[in-house]
């Protein structure tokens, strides 16, 4: 489904808001075909990091390099290859699911033919086909998130950035959202998401543990747990921050 | 369709859907013009009729009676004869009457006399200076005719060195003056108040964050946001025009194409101003407050709608130059009543276009394409 092979490299990335240091020397490498989890408690700097990746905030220090098929794209090309769904409510409560999809079709300049097949597929796999006339404000938490995903995935992006996609979503819908993400990663998409549910780190191909703007740990979840001798990410987080002592 | 135009059209369609589904916006857009036309058109009327006049006829001749009757026949005055013991001062002091006409003895005898002539006095309640001024104007015109009637057309009236005639609004009908100006107030209201909420609402709803991550550019977003409110404003203009012509009988002497262009120019300036407020404040409540102060007050107070710009202190006269309502007020009235053409109105058009460009440029410059604080 994705068009180009993407890679994101962060080196010593920092960002402050006044006297608050939101990000402090974060270095990461994110690549296509994988789900990258940015995990941490509230206020860890996850949203700031994702907004920087989405081009909505500027890095204060360090470097951020994004490539598509090995080349640095222009800002316009990058926007066209990127999809971002924020944590906050960001859809229009009075517009229906189909009206949302049509709106994003025009924002991304998708042809009528492509739209027909992509919208049908996204509605089908997200289980929203039956609710295409329902207004976003009347959707459940899970369906709302899935509609957001369908909107930003319409243009077949290479990079998918999701801020807390499973927050406020019931366990069954959470599983459905994860299954959707696995299928997109399998097709070669670079998926980066933030979550404050520490247990969700284990569902990712790689996890980056953030606390107070600093990167505590980064790697494959199973490997990280094994190395620390921890049973869960909650235990690992407490051990890493000294909270378990 | 170019990608930018497609994005603008898509945003415009989305806005139309919001407007259609939002009772507050719909009520503001459609209800306010009706309310304002009713309020200003029917209630505010400087075209006084039935002004009460108590007549103290101390002459008591057929000529003095004809003079008073003729004044009453003009339709502006409601005459009543002073009863025994009533004095003019008492009649005015106790609100028995707005004015008192005292016809002195010898009025009939001196009618044809050159020099001093007949003697009568009109006493007016000066505590209402607007009504007093208008009454005086009526009296001067009506009394000239009443003198003729009193004379029974026995001789030609004594000629005055200055003759007065009102052009464009012969009767000085205040509705002819007020209604064309209402277009300015309604466009100001619909254009500024409604547009002021659109971008602020996107910020408050959180949808702006998602919109900014898409390839949509500020120019397309602004164009898409302005278009539906321009159309709504035009509906308001059409409503006021129809009410002016059909309900209030205001003549339209100018070019309709020029009037439509003038409305479009002003609406564009008003919506651009609303959008700038919305972009700058990013909060609906704050945007609403700013738009009322910066939108409605200039339309009502500083445009010449009720208070003439030429009578304002020098600072305000200059200050009104940077307010689009002032220029549109002139074009609207001149097109309705004077039938002015482009040759007369080009300075007003130029100023409106200039202010429009400045407001749009400010909106574009201030439009944030990221979430930086």
């Amino acid at each position: 489904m994705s068009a180009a092979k993407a890679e994101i490299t962060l080196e010593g990335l920092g960002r402050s808001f006044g006297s608050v240091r939101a990000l402090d020397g974060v270095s990461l490498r994110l690549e296509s075909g994988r789900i990258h989890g940015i995990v941490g408690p509230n206020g860890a700097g996850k949203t700031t990091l994702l907004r920087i990746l989405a081009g909505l905030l500027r890095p204060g220090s360090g470097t951020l390099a994004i490539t598509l098929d090995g080349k640095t794209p222009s800002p316009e090309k990058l926007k066209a290859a990127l999809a971002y769904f924020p944590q906050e409510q960001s859809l229009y409560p009075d517009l229906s699911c189909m009206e949302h999809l049509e709106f994003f079709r025009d924002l991304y300049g998708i042809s009528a033919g492509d739209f027909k097949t992509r919208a049908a597929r996204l509605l089908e796999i997200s289980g929203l086909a039956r609710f295409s006339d329902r207004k976003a404000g009347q959707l459940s938490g899970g369906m709302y998130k899935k509609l957001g995903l369908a909107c930003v995935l319409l243009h077949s992006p290479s990079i998918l950035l999701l801020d807390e996609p499973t927050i406020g979503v019931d366990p069954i819908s959470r599983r459905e959202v994860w299954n959707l993400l696995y299928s997109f990663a399998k097709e070669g998409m670079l998926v980066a998401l933030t979550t404050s549910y520490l247990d969700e780190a284990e569902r990712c191909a790689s996890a980056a543990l953030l606390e107070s703007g600093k990167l505590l740990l980064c790697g494959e979840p199973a490997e990280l747990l094994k190395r620390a001798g921890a049973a869960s990410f909650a235990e690992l987080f407490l051990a890493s921050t000294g909270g378990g002592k | 369709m170019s990608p930018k135009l497609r994005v603008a059209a898509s945003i415009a369609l989305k806005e139309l859907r919001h407007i259609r589904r939002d009772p507050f916006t719909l009520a503001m857009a459609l209800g306010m013009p009706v309310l304002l036309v009713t309020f200003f058109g029917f209630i505010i009327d400087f075209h006084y009729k039935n002004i009460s006049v108590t007549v103290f006829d101390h002459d008591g001749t057929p000529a003095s009676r004809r003079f008073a009757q003729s004044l009453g026949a003009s339709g502006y005055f409601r005459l009543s004869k002073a009863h025994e013991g009533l004095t003019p001062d008492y009649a005015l002091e106790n609100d028995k009457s707005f004015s008192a006409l005292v016809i002195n003895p010898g009025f009939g005898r001196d009618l044809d006399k050159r020099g001093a002539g007949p003697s009568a006095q009109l006493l007016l309640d000066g505590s209402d200076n607007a009504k007093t001024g208008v009454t005086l104007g009526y009296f001067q015109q009506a009394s000239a005719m009443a003198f003729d009637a009193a004379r029974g057309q026995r001789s030609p009236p004594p000629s005055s060195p200055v003759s007065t005639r009102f052009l464009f609004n012969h009767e000085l009908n205040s509705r002819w003056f007020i209604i064309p100006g209402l277009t300015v107030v309604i466009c100001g209201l619909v254009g500024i108040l409604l547009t002021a909420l659109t971008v602020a609402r996107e910020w408050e709803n959180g949808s702006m964050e998602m919109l900014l991550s898409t390839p949509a550019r500020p120019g397309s977003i602004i164009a898409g946001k302005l278009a539906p409110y321009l159309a709504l404003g035009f509906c308001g203009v059409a409503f006021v025009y129809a009410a002016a012509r059909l309900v209030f009988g205001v003549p339209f002497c100018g070019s309709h194409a020029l009037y439509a262009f003038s409305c479009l120019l002003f609406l564009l300036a008003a919506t651009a101003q609303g959008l700038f407020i919305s972009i700058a404040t990013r909060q609906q409540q704050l945007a609403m407050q700013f738009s009322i102060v910066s939108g409605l007050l200039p339309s009502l107070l500083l445009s010449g709608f009720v208070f003439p710009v030429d009578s304002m202190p020098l600072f305000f006269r200059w200050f009104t130059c940077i307010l689009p309502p002032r220029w549109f007020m002139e074009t609207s009235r001149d097109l309705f009543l004077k039938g002015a053409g482009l040759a007369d109105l080009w300075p007003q058009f130029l100023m409106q276009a200039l202010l429009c460009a400045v407001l749009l440029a400010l909106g574009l410059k201030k439009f944030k394409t990221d979430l930086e604080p």
Side-chain angles (χ1 to χ4, degrees), chain A residues 51 59 153-154 201:
Chain A
R51 283 175 171 172
L153 286 169
L154 256 186

Side-chain angles (χ1 to χ4, degrees), chain B residues 240-324:
Chain B
V240 180
Y241 176 81
R245 303 300 312 279
L246 303 175
V247 182
F248 298 104
V250 184
F252 187 88
C253 306
S255 146
H256 281 95
L258 214 54
Y259 182 60
F261 177 64
S262 161
C263 291
L264 185 75
L265 214 52
F266 178 65
L267 272 170
L268 198 59
T271 45
Q273 186 178 335
L275 205 71
F276 173 69
I277 292 169
S278 203
I279 289 166
T281 59
R282 293 206 237 166
Q283 288 174 39
Q284 290 191 81
Q285 204 180 355
L286 205 60
M288 185 69 125
Q289 287 164 354
F290 267 105
S291 58
I292 286 173
V293 175
S294 73
L296 216 49
L297 292 186
S299 291
L300 285 172
L301 302 177
L302 296 172
S303 64
F305 178 52
V306 181
F307 312 107
V309 173
D310 292 341
S311 310
M312 290 176 190
L314 189 64
F315 168 76
F316 284 100
R317 251 181 287 159
W318 281 104
F319 180 65
T320 57
C321 292
I322 58 160
L323 302 173

Side-chain angles (χ1 to χ4, degrees), chain A residues 140-167:
Chain A
S140 66
M143 286 203 284
Y144 185 92
K145 295 278 182 184
K146 283 190 270 188
L147 173 60
L149 266 179
C151 289
V152 297
L153 286 169
L154 256 186
H155 66 294
S156 305
S158 302
I159 302 167
L160 175 61
L161 306 172
L162 304 168
D163 197 4
E164 302 271 9
T166 54
I167 203 158

Side-chain angles (χ1 to χ4, degrees), chain A residues 89-102:
Chain A
Q89 296 259 325
S90 46
L91 299 174
Y92 303 98
D94 57 330
L95 296 192
S96 72
C97 297
M98 189 45 86
E99 285 167 350
H100 269 96
L101 291 176
E102 286 167 358

Side-chain angles (χ1 to χ4, degrees), chain A:
Chain A
M1 195 171 174
S2 63
K5 203 173 168 207
E7 197 173 295
I8 301 176
T9 314
L10 294 88
E11 286 288 346
L13 201 78
R15 175 68 209 237
S16 299
F17 297 100
S19 58
V20 179
R21 190 80 177 142
L23 282 178
D24 193 2
V26 175
S27 297
L28 275 176
R29 196 168 158 269
L30 315 175
E31 52 196 29
S32 60
R34 289 162 71 90
I35 298 179
H36 301 270
I38 299 156
V39 193
N42 293 334
K46 306 187 297 293
T47 298
T48 303
L49 177 56
L50 217 62
R51 283 175 171 172
I52 290 175
L53 297 184
L56 296 172
L57 286 176
R58 288 184 291 275
S61 56
T63 58
L64 163 68
I66 302 179
T67 60
L68 295 174
D69 287 331
K71 290 176 197 153
T72 305
S74 65
E76 288 78 24
K77 267 195 175 166
L78 182 59
K79 272 204 166 182
L82 193 140
Y84 169 65
F85 189 54
Q87 176 189 351
E88 304 293 331
Q89 296 259 325
S90 46
L91 299 174
Y92 303 98
D94 57 330
L95 296 192
S96 72
C97 297
M98 189 45 86
E99 285 167 350
H100 269 96
L101 291 176
E102 286 167 358
F103 178 56
F104 280 86
R105 169 196 68 194
D106 294 335
L107 290 186
Y108 285 110
I110 299 163
S111 71
D114 282 351
F115 173 73
K116 209 175 163 189
T117 44
R118 288 183 203 172
R121 182 185 171 230
L122 285 167
L123 286 172
E124 191 55 47
I125 59 172
S126 61
L128 281 170
R130 281 187 301 135
F131 307 106
S132 62
D133 291 331
R134 191 174 286 188
K135 287 177 183 162
Q138 295 166 348
L139 293 175
S140 66
M143 286 203 284
Y144 185 92
K145 295 278 182 184
K146 283 190 270 188
L147 173 60
L149 266 179
C151 289
V152 297
L153 286 169
L154 256 186
H155 66 294
S156 305
S158 302
I159 302 167
L160 175 61
L161 306 172
L162 304 168
D163 197 4
E164 302 271 9
T166 54
I167 203 158
V169 178
D170 67 82
I172 295 170
S173 298
R174 270 170 76 179
R175 198 189 307 151
E176 285 170 359
V177 169
W178 274 104
N179 286 340
L180 272 177
L181 298 180
Y182 287 135
S183 66
F184 297 134
K186 209 171 165 186
E187 290 170 13
M189 201 180 284
L190 186 160
V191 181
L193 59 89
T194 67
T195 178
S196 48
Y197 297 136
L198 298 179
D199 58 306
E200 285 195 327
E202 291 167 54
R203 292 174 179 266
C204 304
S206 85
L209 208 57
L210 272 186
E211 163 64 358
S212 303
K214 288 195 168 80
L215 185 67
L216 300 178
L217 294 163
C218 183
E220 283 188 27
E223 182 69 23
L224 290 174
L225 289 175
K226 196 175 154 194
R227 212 187 304 156
S232 68
F233 257 78
E235 200 183 316
L236 177 66
F237 179 76
L238 288 173
S240 308
T241 55
K245 285 174 190 170

Side-chain angles (χ1 to χ4, degrees), chain B residues 56-124:
Chain B
F56 295 82
D57 188 353
H58 299 310
D59 189 41
T61 59
S64 68
R65 281 193 290 275
R66 277 201 302 274
F67 178 72
Q69 274 167 9
S70 175
L71 274 182
S74 69
Y76 297 116
F77 305 106
R78 194 184 68 245
L79 268 54
S80 61
K81 208 175 165 199
H83 60 76
E84 197 70 31
L86 182 69
T87 63
D89 288 359
Y90 185 82
L92 262 66
E93 260 174 36
N94 294 283
D95 290 333
K96 303 264 181 223
S97 179
F98 180 73
S99 58
L101 176 67
V102 183
I103 303 175
N104 293 327
F107 177 89
R109 187 192 62 218
D110 299 340
L111 258 183
D112 296 324
K113 214 177 181 181
R114 298 266 167 189
S119 168
Q121 190 179 21
L122 182 73
L123 297 165
L124 293 162

